[in-house]
Amino acid sequence: MAKTDRLDAYALAKMAALVQLRSYQPLEPWHQEMSDFVRARRQAMHPLTVARQQQEMVGNRGLRRLLQANITYLQRVARLPQSAQMSTIATRPRSGD
């Protein structure tokens, strides 16, 4: 059976009839900001992990020093989202407010 827009529409209509869909609720601004910070930190941590693993495998002392400089830089980068995240946590609404 060939895939067509008509079949897609039928499948979507059938699914909508069976599943009670909730309307989209955008995140609160503080929650969206927190998600952005978590994503940025995760993205900053990956190269840091790779650099640490590379340094463990290198025997040359000069190259290890270069890799350590890279690790130090990446550690600073990884802390930036964390410090901004703390200010977001401080300004978010408290439960019961």
Side-chain angles (χ1 to χ4, degrees), residues 23-84:
S23 63
Y24 172 73
Q25 295 289 330
L27 295 175
E28 296 284 334
W30 70 269
H31 195 260
Q32 180 61 48
E33 204 172 328
M34 182 66 71
S35 295
D36 293 344
F37 290 136
V38 169
R39 182 174 34 260
R41 178 151 167 68
R42 190 176 304 125
Q43 289 172 345
M45 291 303 293
H46 179 71
L48 178 58
T49 302
V50 171
R52 285 177 176 153
Q53 291 169 347
Q54 286 174 339
Q55 188 185 36
E56 288 177 16
M57 297 298 174
V58 170
N60 182 294
R61 192 174 270 179
L63 189 52
R64 285 181 66 82
R65 261 187 258 132
L66 283 173
L67 287 169
Q68 184 57 52
N70 187 32
I71 289 169
T72 302
Y73 169 76
L74 290 169
Q75 285 172 330
R76 280 198 320 264
V77 170
R79 278 194 295 265
L80 291 175
Q82 191 173 6
S83 61

